[in-house]
Amino acid sequence: MLEQQALFDQAHQIVFLTGAGVSTASGIPDFRSANGLYKQNQNAEYFLSHRYFQSDPEGFYQFCKDNLYFPDAKPNVIHEKQAAYTKLDKATVITQNIDNLYELAGTKRLVDFHGNLFDVYCEKCGAHVPVEEYLTSRLHKLDQGPLRPNIVLYDEVISQVAINQSLAAMQAADLIVVVGTSMKVYPFASLLEYAKPGVKILAVNQEPLELPGNFEMVVADATDFFGQLEVR
Ligand code: OAD
């Protein structure tokens, strides 16, 4: 049995704080590992800015299509076990991922902190269009306005709804589990400051993390850890 199983069994409200490492097993590269997007594209943060979207719309579109969209990717055991806790009303997932895999896993309480690639809208008229339309043209067929995914670009702010939902979940949590994220991006990383004092924080990550305060670090492949976890 997993050494940390009792922590999960005893918790009433878990918050999973997650990042790209939960989707690598689904075939989507992360950002800061050796195979990560930022190691292969030194300018990736610029390519993911609204300034770039405006100054080179075709380049932005190609960058997103070539590097961010994995329409055939499927959820893995990490998404599925976390989703199962949300279906029992025992957890909220707050993710930085924009890949839609938590939705595909049927996650009930989910905050897409950085938005979702599969939610696409026209910046001119505000209408939302199916992602398939965006993947064939970057211009809205009704008004030729620029289509874009509803993700938080580098010079944009996090939605107030996402912040409010995240803070409420953090304040209600009696177990916080950080999974597959380097915790280097703010304001996501500062969510930990909103945990109730003394709440148990567990981190499951392939490489050791430095987090403020006391926490338990499990250096592991998260698919192994969640593969062994029994949701009950
Ligand atoms: P990172 O690439 O910074 O971190 C992913 C972490 O997951 C690394 O520490 C890996 O070691 C770990 N990891 C990878 N596969 C794993 C596995 N199978 N099991 C356990 N750990 C694994 O990605 P994020 O922290 O998600 O923002 O990056 C945060 C944000 O930076 C992203 O949301 C994105 C990017 O800029 C935006 O697009 C706005």
Side-chain angles (χ1 to χ4, degrees), residues 88-160:
L88 294 174
D89 278 331
K90 280 187 73 173
T92 301
V93 176
I94 309 175
T95 189
Q96 298 163 93
N97 297 347
I98 53 180
D99 56 25
N100 204 42
L101 295 186
Y102 278 112
E103 279 83 351
L104 292 182
T107 312
K108 251 185 67 187
R109 275 192 271 150
L110 172 64
V111 182
D112 281 328
F113 203 76
H114 290 161
N116 187 319
L117 277 173
F118 291 75
D119 178 17
V120 175
Y121 68 97
C122 171
E123 260 204 2
K124 189 168 166 192
C125 70
H128 290 251
V129 306
V131 68
E132 295 75 20
E133 190 177 320
Y134 181 57
L135 293 176
T136 50
S137 166
R138 66 176 181 81
L139 296 176
H140 189 195
K141 60 184 177 205
L142 293 185
D143 60 8
Q144 299 305 302
L147 294 173
R148 60 163 288 179
N150 193 6
I151 59 174
V152 181
L153 297 174
Y154 261 89
D155 39 9
E156 295 180 321
V157 296
I158 308 293
S159 94
Q160 198 56 49

Side-chain angles (χ1 to χ4, degrees), residues 49-58 60 123 146 153 155:
S49 67
H50 192 262
R51 198 154 59 93
Y52 182 60
F53 169 76
Q54 281 182 315
S55 65
D56 181 5
E58 184 59 35
F60 176 88
E123 260 204 2
L153 297 174
D155 39 9

